Amino acid sequence: MGEPLLRVEGLRTIFQTGKQVVTAVSGVSYSVDAGETVGIVGESGSGKSVSMLAVMRLVPSPAGRITEGKIWFRGRNLLELDSAEMRAVRGKDIAMIFQDPMTSLNPVLSIGRHLVEPLKLHLGLTPSQAKTRAVELLQMVGIPDAANRLNDYPHQFSGGMRQRVMIALGLSCNPKLLIADEPTTALDVTIQAQIIDLVKRLRREFGMSVIWITHDLGIVAGLVDRVIVMYASHVVETAGVDDLYENPRHPYTLGLLSAIPRLDTAERTRLMPIPGKPPDLSNPPKGCPFAPRCGFSTADCLSEKPTLREVAPGHFSMCHLELSKQAFINLREVRVNA
Amino acid sequence: MSAYLARRLFYSIAVVIGVSVAVFLITHQLGDPVRMMLPLEASEEQYQAARQQLGFNDPVLVQFARFSVDAVRGDFGDSLWMDAPALPLVLERLPATFLLAGTAIIIALVLAVPLGIIAALKPRSLLDHVASLTALLGLSIADFWLGLMLIFIFPVSLGLFYTSGYGTWEHLVLPAVTLAARPLGRISQIVRSSVLDELDKNYVTAARARGLSEQATLLGHALRNAAIPIVTLTGFELTRLLAGFTVVVEAVFGWPGVGLLAVDAIERQDLPLLQADVFVVAMIVVVINLLIDLLYGALDPRIRY
Amino acid sequence: MRKLAILFCVILAGALLLSVSPLMAQDSSITVAIGGDPTTLDPQAADDGNERAVNDNIYETLLTRDASMALQPLLAEGYEQIDATTWQFTLKSGISFTNGEPMNAEAVAFSINRNINPEFNSEQLSFFETITGASVVDDLTVSITTNGPDPILPARMYWLKIVPPVAAQADGFAENPVGTGPYKFVSWSRGQQIELEANAEYWGGAPSISRVVIRPIPEESTRLAALQAGEVDFVRDLIPEQIDQAPVVKHIPGLEFPIVRLNNKDGILTDVRIRQAINYAVDKEAIAEALYGGYAVVAQAQVINSSHFGFNPDVQAYPYAPDMARQLLAEAGYSGEPIQFIGEAGRWLKDRELIEVVAAMLTDVGITVDVQILEWSNYLDLLFAAENQPSMIFVANDNTLFDADRTFSGYYSCEGRVSSYCNDEVTQLINTARTETDSAARLEMYHRVVELTREDAAFLFLVNLENIYGLSERLEWEPRQDGKILFAQMTLK
């Protein structure tokens, strides 16, 4: 396998308000291969969205800024591009769709106007070509009567339809990478499934890589190839999706898995919320960021921060301990009985 | 749309009638217009004769009936002080006020929009502070003082423009600039805050993520949304000026507008003139508000009538 | 950078040069600034100084006043009193209005009857209240009748402007004045300007300045600035603070007397000693100097000056004597009871400041003053109140009839509409004088009124304001005591 499509190295992003400095992403590294779908999972505030905004270089400034790291995309470090070069990447090579389809479309512009804009900008289409393409895109994402809906405004579409429009927008210039930032969170369950199916289908058709950000491990199971778990600005575990589900190595990942209600097992496991709260990122703990909430933590965990290391082929975990699946099961028993 | 217009028209008429009635009732509670007309030494007989002749000795209801019937015909009677019908006196002064207020608002907009945008693009930067200070200055400066300073600097010291009068664009410059100060301040503040608000919204991030330039994001996306509060405020400032708040500037620059006329009418309790003035102002406010409402529809597709 | 600095200096120098040599029109036309637009240009309808500033140059009266304010014939050749209530005026011949109508007995009789007609409802009626009618005797003789002996009738004929009967009955007369005077009306754009041109056929000889543009500029500072910028040649009503900045200043004692009316009918001021104390307590000279920059003279305990018939030259102002004031207050047993002092603000020059200075001076001698500055219509209610009159109320009087009767019967008499002073002897004298046709005897009575009211401290007498005018360097003109601005008396250098 050659160079991955996207390789993030040691990315560090901070937010500064007055004297207070919050580290949103601290030294994160990961990569996404061409054609691969990667899920980034974590609770809100874990840095998953910010790390993606960093890839797009859209971290809200002046408060937020990238202080360290490299973002390699198709052989170029995005952080070294000038703003015109970066704009040529956004929307064309890397597209992003957002959590809330209600607010991500401009309420005073028609859907057609939204769609035509990047087509003219990145692909240099004429207005009539762009319009034809816009209709095709809407048809592709399953919007009925697409030609007649170009002149409609966002408020005339339902939430699910709007997310379809957002996807059409994202795919309009055949991007190499689609970043989907919790695109189904705001939608109800049936619509969620439809959107996921849509992305699955389009991923094949367009042959693109997808990064799917979510706080819900359950959603990514059937969708992604690999999962990156983030906690408190760190990547704490990364592995192939089956490997991760079968054999989680980081106590936090286990916690997340336990929090998923399972209907397919006979075993009546109780839904296990992880006790405690994530650390204050303006004043991060010296040792492992998860240690204060971790059932296995030792004195070492509190004093020394672990590194992300390969615990099995292609499986990385940021933990001092060698934990097996049995250990987790034991822990769960202890908790349930307690 | 036409149903909406019909409804609006009905409300507008109701507003104009309501305002006219209110003015009639209020002005009849204030002082005695006849006493103000006559010299202080006028005798009691002259005073009574004048009251009788002007109809102020009739019962208020009779006066009101007379007022209503005439007002419907557009006749507000003759001005008590000026020997002429009241409504034409007001209408005659209107173009000068329109010209002054319109120019002032255009100057204010042309300066305030870029100023507000510059401030919004770099919040808390030096440019922002300078722009905010300019806005605050424009807002808080007394137009009387500003007008006199401009007169002193330009016509008196530099021989540019005129101290007063009406006729050419050179007469218009100083009063319009003076009058623009406050709307300039207010509009640039609202431009700054609404653009800042819009730039913070998700659709802006989304637009940037599609590779749009800052300029395209600002002009093509954020400003379109920020326009609604800006239009509202601009309309308000314009009606405010047309309603007679040009008076200080008119007095300083000897501008023959409706503001001075209105203030004279109030001071002299020239009831017919005052009623005609309020009627005209109410009409203007109603029309401008209607135009602004229609403009909203053009600016925001979510608004439907 | 240096180049830029030099350029800047050149521009600045150029601008300065421009400002010292303002461009002036080369023909004999001038621009005049007045304080406001006339309410009408009908010369008989309003009591309005802005209207007079225009119409004084278009219309004429039967009699005029010379520089010393003595009555002289103008349209009249002469006049005589036929009996107690009848006066006969003979007119100059060959004079016509600028529209061609003859100025004859018919025109004069028409003008008088129009002005006093109750239907016409003129604001000037109080100037003509004694006149019952006028009739044509022959083409150049008019007879005027009064409701009783009226010694002031000639003075009234300085007020009443003669209008052309045909034009005056036509529509639009109030916007299109037509007179016999040295200037003809050209145009009026309300609020903008009024244009006059010289009447080439004027019977007294065409005036030297051929064209006059009159512009209303309400704000005093702007009027001055317009003069400084060379936009106008003449401004009226400059305020004392501005005098240093005007190119040429002319000033003359005017007709305006700010006074404080004292209520001797009821309340605490019924005691003459307190009224006198008030007069002793106020430093009139300091007021003239400090408040009016020296452009005011102390009023000699009367609300008229030497230009008015009835002025008593032997009566002097109350000196500033605060100790005397304190002593009188002590004698009167005054022990700090509050005295109401009503005022207004903005209607007369420095009214508010004057009220405050007076109140401070009264406080200095131990009087408790309760100053209330009221809104104009509330103020008027109290000024005209017949019952519960205020103890002290500020007012300003200007007597444009030049006869003491107008001021005395309004302010000094028990029956005056704006009077809160009642003294039977004074009222008797005023009423007798009004119908006394022997002018020496009448003068005697007015002198007596002035003596009595000074002694009785009928008012707090203050100062007599001056009228201040600003002129451009090229204009020559001398101000008149009656405040009239006659363009025919102006010349260009």
Side-chain angles (χ1 to χ4, degrees):
Chain A
M1 193 174 269
E3 175 71 6
L5 181 70
L6 174 76
R7 185 154 53 83
V8 174
E9 282 178 17
L11 179 69
R12 185 177 185 84
T13 305
I14 63 165
F15 286 86
Q16 185 162 15
T17 45
K19 285 227 158 67
Q20 197 181 49
V21 176
V22 172
T23 308
V25 178
S26 42
V28 159
S29 302
Y30 55 84
S31 60
V32 178
D33 288 329
E36 188 184 24
T37 299
V38 173
I40 299 186
V41 179
E43 49 199 283
S44 44
S46 61
K48 56 191 195 304
S49 290
V50 174
S51 71
M52 285 302 113
L53 286 173
V55 168
M56 296 296 274
R57 282 183 43 196
L58 288 174
V59 177
S61 72
R65 60 177 197 275
I66 298 164
T67 55
E68 278 172 37
K70 295 192 170 70
I71 299 170
W72 295 100
F73 179 77
R74 304 180 82 203
R76 292 193 294 177
N77 181 358
L78 295 182
L79 296 183
E80 284 170 359
L81 300 187
D82 67 27
S83 55
E85 290 170 329
M86 190 61 217
R87 284 203 300 275
V89 171
R90 289 186 200 130
K92 178 151 195 309
D93 295 328
I94 307 178
M96 189 162 178
I97 58 178
F98 294 88
Q99 180 171 354
D100 186 359
M102 301 298 179
T103 59
S104 298
L105 288 165
N106 190 333
V108 303
L109 298 182
S110 69
I111 296 305
R113 167 80 206 273
H114 277 90
L115 283 160
V116 160
E117 208 169 38
L119 293 171
K120 289 202 286 195
L121 179 70
H122 294 302
L123 305 180
L125 299 191
T126 64
S128 65
Q129 289 172 327
K131 208 175 156 192
T132 313
R133 178 72 185 137
V135 175
E136 286 168 17
L137 285 164
L138 288 184
Q139 284 166 341
M140 186 184 73
V141 296
I143 291 187
D145 196 17
N148 289 328
R149 301 219 62 182
L150 277 189
N151 291 330
D152 284 354
Y153 288 88
H155 70 276
Q156 291 163 299
F157 289 80
S158 69
M161 284 295 156
R162 269 189 247 187
Q163 199 56 293
R164 285 170 192 263
V165 171
M166 287 303 294
I167 291 167
L169 259 175
L171 300 184
S172 60
C173 302
N174 300 313
K176 305 288 179 298
L177 173 62
L178 176 71
I179 300 172
D181 186 357
E182 307 210 31
T184 59
T185 309
L187 305 174
D188 70 47
V189 181
T190 43
I191 307 291
Q192 274 188 15
Q194 288 172 11
I195 295 290
I196 290 169
D197 286 345
L198 177 67
V199 171
K200 278 188 187 168
R201 175 167 66 80
L202 294 172
R203 175 183 63 185
R204 276 197 310 278
E205 287 174 15
F206 281 76
M208 62 189 172
S209 304
V210 174
I211 296 177
W212 190 283
I213 302 172
T214 182
H215 62 271
D216 184 352
L217 263 175
I219 281 183
V220 297
L223 178 70
V224 306
D225 305 317
R226 207 149 50 80
V227 176
I228 295 168
V229 180
M230 286 191 73
Y231 178 76
S233 84
H234 295 81
V235 170
V236 293
E237 184 165 10
T238 166
V241 62
D242 296 336
D243 191 10
L244 187 93
Y245 276 76
E246 287 306 310
N247 209 1
R249 293 301 193 94
H250 196 281
Y252 176 67
T253 310
L254 178 81
L256 284 181
L257 287 170
S258 315
I260 306 169
R262 296 187 70 117
L263 304 174
D264 56 336
T265 52
E267 183 187 359
R268 279 184 56 87
T269 52
R270 276 176 58 183
L271 195 59
M272 293 297 303
I274 304 170
K277 284 189 306 187
D280 174 8
L281 293 179
S282 64
N283 185 21
K286 193 164 156 244
C288 172
F290 189 61
R293 299 170 76 183
C294 180
F296 305 94
S297 63
T298 65
D300 267 3
C301 294
L302 290 168
S303 62
E304 197 179 327
K305 191 194 273 188
T307 51
L308 191 67
R309 59 195 178 88
E310 193 160 17
V311 292
H315 194 147
F316 295 79
S317 171
M318 187 179 119
C319 187
H320 289 303
L321 308 169
E322 288 286 351
L323 293 168
S324 65
K325 192 176 180 183
Q326 191 53 50
F328 291 136
I329 293 168
N330 293 345
L331 176 71
R332 182 182 293 173
E333 293 304 316
V334 170
R335 286 233 194 107
V336 168
N337 295 338
Chain B
M1 187 75 184
S2 59
Y4 168 78
L5 278 179
R7 200 167 62 239
R8 276 301 296 252
L9 199 65
F10 173 76
Y11 286 134
S12 303
I13 291 169
V15 165
V16 172
I17 291 174
V19 168
S20 301
V21 170
V23 168
F24 177 87
L25 295 176
I26 291 166
T27 49
H28 277 75
Q29 300 309 308
L30 299 170
D32 181 345
V34 179
R35 187 176 280 160
M36 293 210 188
M37 282 173 69
L38 297 177
L40 295 184
E41 294 85 354
S43 68
E44 185 64 24
E45 295 78 54
Q46 284 158 15
Y47 168 74
Q48 285 305 338
R51 271 190 76 83
Q52 184 65 38
Q53 210 225 345
L54 293 166
F56 286 110
N57 282 346
D58 298 334
V60 174
L61 270 178
V62 173
Q63 293 185 49
F64 182 67
R66 201 164 49 217
F67 164 78
S68 310
V69 170
D70 290 346
V72 168
R73 299 199 312 253
D75 176 7
F76 290 85
D78 284 1
S79 155
L80 298 185
W81 281 72
M82 298 197 243
D83 216 356
L87 190 60
L89 280 175
V90 176
L91 296 178
E92 185 179 75
R93 298 285 191 104
L94 215 50
T97 296
F98 267 117
L99 181 65
L100 181 60
T103 312
I105 288 291
I106 290 168
I107 293 174
L109 267 180
V110 164
L111 296 177
V113 171
L115 202 64
I117 290 175
I118 288 169
L121 287 183
K122 298 261 178 228
R124 282 174 293 280
S125 68
L126 184 66
L127 266 175
D128 180 23
H129 289 308
V130 171
S132 299
L133 202 69
T134 310
L136 199 64
L137 207 65
L139 231 173
S140 45
I141 203 163
D143 44 9
F144 179 76
W145 185 84
L146 177 62
L148 289 182
M149 284 319 284
L150 291 177
I151 286 176
F152 178 75
I153 293 169
F154 291 98
V156 175
S157 299
L158 300 176
L160 294 171
F161 312 122
Y162 293 106
T163 59
S164 53
Y166 179 74
T168 68
W169 68 270
E170 288 174 283
H171 288 100
L172 178 59
V173 174
L174 297 185
V177 167
T178 307
L179 207 56
R182 182 195 133 100
L184 166 65
R186 290 205 62 189
I187 295 172
S188 71
Q189 283 182 340
I190 199 110
V191 169
R192 178 185 186 272
S193 67
S194 56
V195 167
L196 213 50
D197 267 5
E198 294 301 325
L199 287 180
D200 223 27
K201 290 197 172 155
N202 288 339
Y203 72 84
V204 167
T205 311
R208 286 179 181 147
R210 293 195 294 275
L212 265 59
S213 65
E214 279 307 298
Q215 202 184 335
T217 312
L218 178 74
L219 300 179
H221 288 255
L223 209 53
R224 281 289 304 272
N225 284 277
I228 287 175
I230 297 171
V231 164
T232 308
L233 182 71
T234 305
F236 172 77
E237 288 292 321
L238 182 64
T239 47
R240 188 175 162 277
L241 293 185
L242 292 176
F245 278 83
T246 48
V247 60
V248 172
V249 169
E250 287 180 11
V252 169
F253 291 96
W255 190 262
V258 89
L260 269 183
L261 192 73
V263 168
D264 280 351
I266 292 168
E267 271 193 3
R268 295 162 173 173
Q269 296 199 2
D270 190 336
L271 302 192
L273 192 57
L274 195 56
Q275 284 153 0
D277 181 74
V278 170
F279 172 79
V280 169
V281 166
M283 290 294 282
I284 291 172
V285 171
V286 161
V287 168
I288 290 181
N289 283 346
L290 184 65
L291 289 178
I292 287 173
D293 270 12
L294 295 177
L295 198 55
Y296 285 161
L299 287 172
D300 190 341
R302 285 167 293 186
I303 299 171
R304 279 288 163 265
Y305 306 110
Chain C
M1 197 60 211
R2 263 196 58 162
K3 272 186 189 165
L4 212 65
I6 291 168
L7 184 70
F8 181 73
C9 289
V10 168
I11 291 172
L12 205 67
L16 284 173
L17 273 175
L18 268 177
S19 67
V20 292
S21 59
L23 294 167
M24 289 284 193
Q26 292 306 305
D27 61 15
S28 65
S29 91
I30 59 167
T31 305
V32 167
I34 57 176
D37 210 26
T39 51
T40 174
L41 286 180
D42 186 321
Q44 297 189 324
D47 180 16
D48 170 6
N50 294 319
E51 177 267 312
R52 286 199 289 275
V54 178
N55 278 338
D56 281 347
N57 295 284
I58 298 174
Y59 289 97
E60 291 179 302
T61 50
L62 292 179
L63 304 179
T64 186
R65 287 182 190 272
D66 60 22
S68 62
M69 295 298 111
L71 280 174
Q72 302 291 345
L74 185 61
L75 290 177
E77 187 76 51
Y79 60 93
E80 58 179 327
Q81 190 167 12
I82 304 294
D83 60 46
T85 59
T86 314
W87 296 72
Q88 218 167 64
F89 283 76
T90 46
L91 307 178
K92 288 197 175 107
S93 66
I95 299 176
S96 48
F97 291 92
T98 50
N99 68 348
E101 288 185 56
M103 195 291 296
N104 54 17
E106 191 200 328
V108 172
F110 170 82
S111 300
I112 294 169
N113 290 327
R114 178 179 188 258
N115 215 345
I116 62 171
N117 182 354
E119 298 274 294
F120 183 57
N121 193 28
S122 169
E123 290 167 26
Q124 302 167 4
L125 259 184
S126 62
F127 290 95
F128 313 121
E129 55 196 338
T130 59
I131 302 175
T132 52
S135 55
V136 174
V137 176
D138 60 45
D139 190 46
L140 292 177
T141 312
V142 184
S143 150
I144 303 171
T145 52
T146 56
N147 58 7
D150 181 15
I152 314 165
L153 187 93
R156 301 190 198 281
M157 287 303 115
Y158 174 49
W159 241 93
L160 196 146
K161 292 194 170 82
I162 305 302
V163 298
V166 177
Q169 292 172 85
D171 278 350
F173 180 62
E175 286 90 39
N176 295 286
V178 177
T180 57
Y183 283 90
K184 284 197 292 191
F185 172 79
V186 178
S187 66
W188 181 17
S189 311
R190 274 191 201 266
Q192 297 174 37
Q193 61 173 48
I194 293 165
E195 196 180 331
L196 306 183
E197 64 178 13
N199 176 5
E201 276 103 52
Y202 179 55
W203 62 272
S208 122
I209 290 171
S210 62
R211 185 172 162 271
V212 181
V213 173
I214 302 158
R215 284 180 41 198
I217 305 180
E219 170 55 38
E220 292 125 356
S221 307
T222 312
R223 280 205 294 277
L224 174 67
L227 185 65
Q228 288 176 295
E231 289 171 31
V232 302
D233 298 285
F234 179 92
V235 301
R236 67 189 263 186
D237 305 334
L238 281 185
I239 57 175
E241 287 82 350
Q242 301 174 326
I243 280 165
D244 297 343
Q245 297 162 51
V248 177
V249 168
K250 300 279 181 183
H251 59 96
I252 192 165
L255 300 177
E256 190 163 315
F257 285 80
I259 53 172
V260 179
R261 215 175 69 177
L262 305 178
N263 178 3
N264 82 335
K265 294 184 192 167
D266 48 36
I268 192 159
L269 297 189
T270 46
D271 190 327
V272 64
R273 289 169 298 189
I274 297 182
R275 297 202 302 276
Q276 286 168 340
I278 287 172
N279 271 284
Y280 280 120
V282 173
D283 187 348
K284 277 79 65 181
E285 274 168 31
I287 287 173
E289 275 309 312
L291 208 53
Y292 298 101
Y295 291 91
V297 293
V298 174
Q300 297 306 320
Q302 43 202 314
V303 191
I304 49 179
N305 65 23
S306 61
S307 67
H308 291 96
F309 182 87
F311 177 76
N312 186 338
D314 301 326
V315 169
Q316 307 268 302
Y318 275 84
Y320 174 51
D323 289 337
M324 180 71 103
R326 288 189 193 95
Q327 190 187 325
L328 283 165
L329 288 173
E331 282 171 21
Y334 175 76
S335 55
E337 296 88 337
I339 299 179
Q340 188 189 21
F341 183 10
I342 302 297
E344 48 65 63
R347 191 58 62 145
W348 291 293
L349 183 62
K350 306 236 173 193
D351 42 14
R352 184 178 201 124
E353 293 90 330
L354 181 57
I355 290 162
E356 282 164 1
V357 166
V358 166
M361 287 172 172
L362 296 181
T363 308
D364 272 353
V365 298
I367 298 173
T368 309
V369 192
D370 171 22
V371 177
Q372 296 169 32
I373 304 287
L374 300 181
E375 189 268 318
W376 180 246
S377 69
N378 297 335
Y379 164 83
L380 279 186
D381 285 343
L382 283 183
L383 186 70
F384 284 105
E387 308 281 314
N388 295 321
Q389 293 176 309
S391 297
M392 295 170 69
I393 184 165
F394 172 82
V395 68
N397 177 246
D398 77 14
N399 178 342
T400 47
L401 204 56
F402 293 94
D403 191 290
D405 175 63
R406 186 167 172 80
T407 301
F408 287 2
S409 56
Y411 287 89
Y412 285 54
S413 159
C414 297
E415 299 145 17
R417 233 170 86 71
V418 269
S419 168
S420 66
Y421 174 73
C422 193
N423 176 324
D424 291 337
E425 190 182 354
V426 168
T427 304
Q428 177 85 46
L429 281 165
I430 292 170
N431 287 344
T432 316
R434 178 176 292 167
T435 54
E436 174 55 66
T437 46
D438 174 4
S439 85
R442 203 162 77 89
L443 190 60
E444 193 59 37
M445 292 177 206
Y446 286 149
H447 284 177
R448 184 75 190 125
V449 168
V450 172
E451 279 166 27
L452 285 170
T453 49
R454 187 217 185 257
E455 224 30 61
D456 204 23
F459 298 91
L460 167 53
F461 302 101
L462 294 166
V463 291
N464 178 196
L465 301 189
E466 296 203 322
N467 291 332
I468 312 173
Y469 305 90
L471 279 66
S472 67
E473 300 278 2
R474 64 175 193 151
L475 192 68
E476 291 201 86
W477 177 74
E478 286 308 318
R480 291 168 59 90
Q481 239 179 342
D482 58 6
K484 280 191 196 289
I485 301 161
L486 302 177
F487 305 140
Q489 295 180 354
M490 293 180 178
T491 52
L492 289 172
K493 281 178 193 161

